[in-house]
C-alpha cells in the first residue's frame, strides 16, 4: 500500500496544533491577555484547516512547510512555561518535531543565511540578551552579521 506522505505529515501537524491550542488554554503566556490567547488559538485552528484540507495546488510537502513554519515560530523562538509545556507534550505524543536552537546555529556558523534567519535575529536579539540566553560579545557578533546580511542584500 502506498503511503500518502502529505496526509501523514498534515495529520502530525494537526496533532501538534491541537497540542499548541491545548497548551495555550492551560498555560497561556504571561504577557497574553484573553483576547490575544483567543486570537492565537484561532490562527492555529485556521492553519490546521489549511493543512488538512488545502486547495489542490497546495497539497504538497513544499507548501506544507510554510504552515509548519507558521505553527512552530512561536514555540521555537519563545520561552516560558507555555513553550516548555508544548515541547514536553510534543515529545510525549512522539510527534516528529524537535526544538531547534537557531541562535546557536547562527552564532557557530557566523553567518545569517537567509531572510528567515535575519528576521529571527532581529526579533529576538534584545529579549535573548535581557534573558541571558546570549552574552554581550554574541550581541556584537549578531549585530555585525545582520549588517553584513543587509549589505549583501543591497548588492
Amino acid at each position: 500500500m502506498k503511503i500518502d506522505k502529505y496526509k501523514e505529515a498534515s495529520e502530525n501537524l494537526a496533532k501538534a496544533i491541537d497540542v499548541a491550542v491545548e497548551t495555550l488554554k492551560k498555560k497561556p503566556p504571561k504577557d497574553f491577555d484573553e483576547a490575544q490567547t483567543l486570537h492565537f488559538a484561532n490562527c492555529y485552528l485556521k492553519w490546521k484547516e489549511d493543512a488538512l484540507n488545502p486547495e489542490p495546488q497546495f497539497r504538497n510537502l513544499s507548501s506544507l512547510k510554510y504552515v509548519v513554519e507558521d505553527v512552530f515560530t512561536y514555540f521555537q523562538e519563545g520561552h516560558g512555561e507555555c513553550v516548555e509545556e508544548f515541547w514536553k507534550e510534543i515529545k510525549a505524543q512522539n510527534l516528529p518535531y524537535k526544538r531547534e536552537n537557531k541562535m546557536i546555529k547562527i552564532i557557530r556558523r557566523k553567518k545569517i543565511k537567509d531572510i528567515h534567519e535575519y528576521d529571527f535575529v532581529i526579533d529576538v536579539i534584545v529579549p535573548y540578551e535581557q534573558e541571558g540566553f546570549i552574552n554581550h560579545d554574541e550581541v556584537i557578533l549578531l549585530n555585525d552579521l545582520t549588517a553584513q546580511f543587509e549589505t549583501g542584500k543591497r548588492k
Side-chain angles (χ1 to χ4, degrees):
M1 187 168 122
K2 185 180 176 197
I3 296 173
D4 183 343
K5 290 185 181 192
Y6 182 89
K7 185 174 192 262
E8 181 181 15
S10 65
E11 288 173 353
N12 281 330
L13 184 59
K15 290 175 188 174
I17 289 170
D18 289 342
V19 169
V21 171
E22 203 53 42
T23 302
L24 279 167
K25 288 177 182 174
K26 281 191 228 171
K27 299 183 183 212
K30 290 179 181 177
D31 55 341
F32 276 32
D33 63 25
E34 193 174 321
Q36 288 170 308
T37 303
L38 182 61
H39 175 72
F40 200 97
N42 286 337
C43 287
Y44 274 68
L45 294 174
K46 166 82 171 80
W47 291 330
K48 180 179 176 180
E49 178 63 25
D50 291 346
L52 292 175
N53 301 302
E55 293 181 31
Q57 69 268 30
F58 299 119
R59 194 181 191 287
N60 58 66
L61 294 175
S62 294
S63 292
L64 189 63
K65 279 183 180 180
Y66 288 98
V67 182
V68 170
E69 185 72 26
D70 289 338
V71 169
F72 284 95
T73 295
Y74 176 77
F75 295 103
Q76 291 286 9
E77 297 176 8
H79 61 281
E81 199 173 0
C82 179
V83 172
E84 297 305 321
E85 185 67 27
F86 171 81
W87 287 110
K88 188 169 31 169
E89 189 59 30
I90 290 291
K91 186 174 183 176
Q93 291 194 25
N94 203 25
L95 292 169
Y97 305 105
K98 300 277 186 242
R99 189 172 192 181
E100 88 181 60
N101 189 333
K102 292 181 184 181
M103 189 63 77
I104 292 297
K105 289 180 178 182
I106 294 166
I107 290 170
R108 285 184 183 152
R109 187 183 332 114
K110 293 187 168 87
K111 182 176 183 186
I112 295 173
K113 70 178 182 178
D114 59 30
I115 191 67
H116 300 293
E117 284 188 353
Y118 173 81
D119 288 341
F120 168 74
V121 171
I122 296 299
D123 289 346
V124 303
I125 191 168
V126 172
Y128 272 32
E129 182 181 27
Q130 290 171 343
E131 295 289 327
F133 294 139
I134 57 175
N135 62 38
H136 183 70
D137 292 338
E138 291 167 331
V139 170
I140 292 170
L141 171 65
L142 292 166
N143 283 326
D144 288 345
L145 296 178
T146 57
Q148 288 171 19
F149 184 82
E150 289 165 353
T151 302
K153 284 294 169 197
R154 283 192 218 124
K155 291 180 181 177

